[in-house]
Amino acid sequence: MAQNRKKVLVLGAGYAGLQAVTKLQKEVSANEAEITLVNKNKYHYEATWLHEASAGTLNYEDLIYPIESVIDKNKVNFINAEVTKIDRNAKKVETTHGIFEYDILVVALGFESETFGINGMKEHAFQIENIHTARELSRHIEDKFANYAASKEKDENDLAILVGGAGFTGIEFLGELTDRIPELCNKYGVDQNKVKITCVEAMPKILPMFSENLVNYVVNYLEERGVEFKIGTPIVACNEKGFKVKTNDQEQQLEANTAVWAAGVRGSQLMEESFEGVKRGRIVTKQDLTIDGHDDIFVIGDVSAFIPAGEERPLPTTAQIAMQQGAHVAKNIENILNGQATTDFEYIDRGTVCSLGSHDGVGHVFGRDITGKKAAFMKKVIDTRAVFKMGGVGLAFKKGKF
């Protein structure tokens, strides 16, 4: 039996890849498959909590847990390495720790920040991208308050924060900031009225996935806490002073000593190098999550563009979708190992909740709009459920939000 063991290789231990592995190890015996998981960090981090660590309302250590704590070492080899090349013709993947062959490949390489070629954005703005960027940003914000408090010649821009983007990440980050700022003002004896938070968004509407009522709730909530919105205002450049924006064909410099870019992500750069027809790091998959011409390669999570049958646009890249794809791929791999046909992926939308700090939020769940404490509670349920689905009760107890 052991000679026929299929080599299953999973690239990436984010929501999609790790969910695929934790499900697969339950369903498949060590005799049927040799599962290898490659990830560049030894830990998994809750990417949907990055805005909290970035604002400093959550310690970065609370976002992470060791990958080895949720995998079955008898069935899964974990390789801590970075993927450098996917050679689909030779059925090999090159990494910083050797070359791995596969019979079945799962590509779940995750996202990186996308600045859409805006001049200076990569150099001068903080990105909400991973654990390292989150730690840098939260430290930087506190450093600016400390510097302001300690300086004789006070620079008002130390208390100014610019946030580019009013989509999900931008709004959740602003919500956390409105929780953090009063703490920092207290700690450093800073007058809160001097703090200036500005959110700049090129689109005419914030949070396009939500109803007018919910959007108004969010705007009112954040404006009451000192956030100023500049909507329909494209950022043309970022420099050491802050953002350059365009209003009515006039360029204007917005000044702040903290600029944050929260307006765009793309799939891993490696996708363009490995496959044809990739756009912004995402490749269109077939209904069973394999790709054209390769029924041995599954692509899931932030690097996949899954277009449900009969629709025109791919699903957005969310943790909820990534985890469902991971679970579905595990099922399909099990089917392949048993000589059965793969099945099509169907996404079940359980709703969306956007947090505004830890005690408030908005959402659309079970067909209804919710706001306030209800939404904040739902968000904690969703976050804790994600941890539970990877590592069971023990991990949920340790890392969950209750």
Side-chain angles (χ1 to χ4, degrees):
M1 179 72 197
Q3 280 83 341
N4 298 335
R5 282 207 314 169
K6 289 265 191 254
K7 289 185 164 75
V8 177
L9 182 59
V10 181
L11 310 180
Y15 290 112
L18 195 57
Q19 180 72 90
V21 169
T22 53
K23 278 270 190 267
L24 202 54
Q25 68 188 9
K26 286 192 184 106
E27 305 300 333
V28 171
S29 77
N31 292 333
E32 292 175 276
E34 180 187 338
I35 305 166
T36 304
L37 172 63
V38 180
N39 195 60
K40 67 178 170 205
N41 303 310
K42 286 189 168 160
Y43 54 82
H44 165 88
Y45 62 88
E46 295 294 319
T48 59
W49 307 3
L50 280 173
H51 61 281
E52 296 172 69
S54 298
T57 49
L58 189 69
N59 188 327
Y60 80 94
E61 284 160 348
D62 294 331
L63 265 76
I64 61 182
Y65 53 84
I67 288 166
E68 296 200 324
S69 69
V70 298
I71 59 175
D72 177 346
K73 292 194 186 100
N74 299 321
K75 292 184 182 177
V76 181
N77 314 315
F78 172 56
I79 310 292
N80 179 206
E82 196 157 348
V83 178
T84 51
K85 189 181 176 193
I86 299 169
D87 184 342
R88 43 192 189 157
N89 298 326
K91 297 184 78 150
K92 283 181 180 155
V93 171
E94 295 176 21
T95 76
T96 48
H97 282 259
I99 296 173
F100 298 88
E101 297 178 345
Y102 66 82
D103 296 303
I104 299 169
L105 180 67
V106 180
V107 184
L109 286 168
F111 73 91
E112 48 198 65
S113 182
E114 162 74 283
T115 56
F116 305 109
I118 297 172
N119 202 356
M121 192 60 84
K122 274 260 194 281
E123 296 73 32
H124 299 291
F126 288 89
Q127 323 282 320
I128 297 180
E129 197 170 26
N130 54 44
I131 292 291
H132 304 295
T133 62
R135 289 180 73 185
E136 275 174 6
L137 175 49
S138 69
R139 256 198 240 132
H140 170 87
I141 292 169
E142 178 149 6
D143 284 350
K144 289 299 161 203
F145 275 74
N147 186 52
Y148 181 87
S151 305
K152 279 203 169 62
E153 298 283 312
K154 300 212 183 290
D155 179 357
E156 300 295 329
N157 287 337
D158 277 345
L159 304 180
I161 300 171
L162 287 169
V163 178
F168 223 81
T169 306
I171 295 297
E172 290 203 315
F173 176 66
L174 289 165
E176 296 302 320
L177 269 186
T178 62
D179 276 4
R180 178 94 197 276
I181 297 300
E183 286 172 24
L184 289 174
C185 289
N186 246 341
K187 185 170 175 181
Y188 295 104
V190 169
D191 174 4
Q192 205 174 320
N193 294 319
K194 294 206 153 108
V195 179
K196 197 169 185 267
I197 305 173
T198 310
C199 175
V200 187
E201 169 58 62
M203 291 297 168
K205 184 182 174 207
I206 75 163
L207 296 174
M209 68 292 287
F210 286 140
S211 69
E212 211 58 34
N213 282 345
L214 293 185
V215 168
N216 292 339
Y217 183 95
V218 170
V219 173
N220 292 337
Y221 178 93
L222 292 172
E223 282 182 346
E224 269 171 25
R225 285 158 184 74
V227 177
E228 184 195 339
F229 285 96
K230 289 188 183 298
I231 305 296
T233 308
I235 301 170
V236 289
C238 180
N239 51 35
E240 58 285 346
K241 286 189 182 147
F243 291 155
K244 247 195 180 134
V245 300
K246 211 170 188 171
T247 37
N248 310 327
D249 293 334
Q250 293 291 308
E251 281 197 8
Q252 182 195 357
Q253 175 75 47
L254 304 179
E255 291 193 11
N257 288 347
T258 306
V260 182
W261 176 247
V265 294
R266 50 155 292 134
S268 160
Q269 296 276 352
L270 200 68
M271 294 302 289
E272 272 90 343
E273 295 162 32
S274 311
F275 304 101
E276 289 88 46
V278 174
K279 282 189 190 144
R280 285 180 54 203
R282 297 174 73 190
I283 188 168
V284 173
T285 65
K286 296 199 294 195
Q287 292 301 304
D288 66 352
L289 302 174
T290 57
I291 55 172
D292 263 341
H294 294 275
D295 51 12
D296 54 356
I297 300 179
F298 292 93
V299 180
I300 54 177
D302 293 320
V303 289
S304 87
F306 176 79
I307 304 171
E311 300 200 11
E312 284 169 18
R313 293 180 67 83
L315 293 177
T317 51
T318 69
Q320 186 182 178
I321 294 167
M323 288 180 76
Q324 287 186 31
Q325 288 182 331
H328 189 78
V329 157
K331 200 96 202 100
N332 270 344
I333 291 173
E334 201 192 331
N335 286 351
I336 291 171
L337 296 174
N338 295 332
Q340 293 163 342
T342 57
T343 61
D344 290 352
F345 173 64
E346 278 177 41
Y347 167 55
I348 299 159
D349 186 354
R350 297 202 166 88
T352 308
V353 181
C354 176
S355 64
L356 297 167
S358 62
H359 306 296
D360 218 302
V362 298
H364 189 74
V365 184
F366 305 122
R368 288 184 32 229
D369 282 358
I370 54 171
T371 57
K373 285 195 166 55
K374 239 190 216 138
F377 178 78
M378 262 326 275
K379 184 73 172 183
K380 291 187 174 90
V381 170
I382 292 164
D383 286 352
T384 305
R385 186 170 181 266
V387 178
F388 169 75
K389 283 183 80 92
M390 295 290 192
V393 173
L395 190 67
F397 197 71
K398 216 155 80 185
K399 292 287 177 185
K401 294 272 183 89
F402 291 104

